[in-house]
Amino acid sequence: MFHIRNSESQHFLTFASETDFAIRFVEVLIMKKFLTALVLIIFATMPLFAQSRVVSNPVNKAFWGIRAGGNITCPGELADRDVFKKGGGMDFGVIYNGPVVANFYVELGLKFFYNTYSEKYGDSSIRKNGMRIPIMAGYHFDFSDSFRFYLFTGPVFEIGFSAKEVVKRYNWVTSNNLYSGFDRMERLGLLWGAGAGFSIRHIYVGASANIGLTNKLDMSNRAKFYENYVAISLGYNF
């Protein structure tokens, strides 16, 4: 899929439109507006609960947790062409949540993932696994001793272990290593995530949207391709 198979596709990738840059700019702008609104909401509501543990719990403490969940992969356009359809995947790992001030916190994570997606009109699929390191800054609202609501955002660093293009034709199945070759994919990536969650005692449920910021095509031409995903997480806080 990422390999240039004929002169027509090579010509198309070489002269890909600059509208991809505009799309990425709009996505980042929307994310910035979301973050600005989130900060304004937090500061606007803080005076209402100035003396309340809802926004400033005096017994906050650091904790470890485990997380596991499902991913909905949302691959972007390949050189402005809608080539791929959504796929699925899973991840699991650990987090460390440390309080900073009031109910503001920083959460570090280490997660291993397996994601897939496939061609819309072809016979190949992409299968990837690797590691992600999310660094989230957030705020939690403690409505009771047992119920917390979380809002968070931050960068997600991604390291790919393997990426294969699996092609099924008739009775033949072949696979290509997408981390090698002329039009190879980048192993390293950066995404920006934002989401919300809640915990009931030690049980955690959350969801986040993650937008790819790294062009995954390691090519000398102007072709662009970004990977995005939505994550649903279940966990336990110790």
Side-chain angles (χ1 to χ4, degrees), residues 1-3 84 114-118 124-129 161-167 174-180 185 227:
M1 175 48 28
F2 290 93
H3 298 283
F84 299 107
Y114 175 75
N115 285 167
T116 67
Y117 51 89
S118 58
S124 69
S125 61
I126 310 301
R127 304 176 185 182
K128 298 182 62 179
N129 66 74
F161 295 160
S162 72
K164 293 184 178 180
E165 176 191 12
V166 178
V167 182
T174 60
S175 65
N176 304 312
N177 181 8
L178 294 178
Y179 287 147
S180 65
M185 294 184 70
E227 292 180 329

Side-chain angles (χ1 to χ4, degrees), residues 179-194:
Y179 287 147
S180 65
F182 167 73
D183 49 353
R184 62 184 179 272
M185 294 184 70
E186 290 281 3
R187 285 184 181 270
L188 305 180
L190 174 65
L191 304 95
W192 193 270

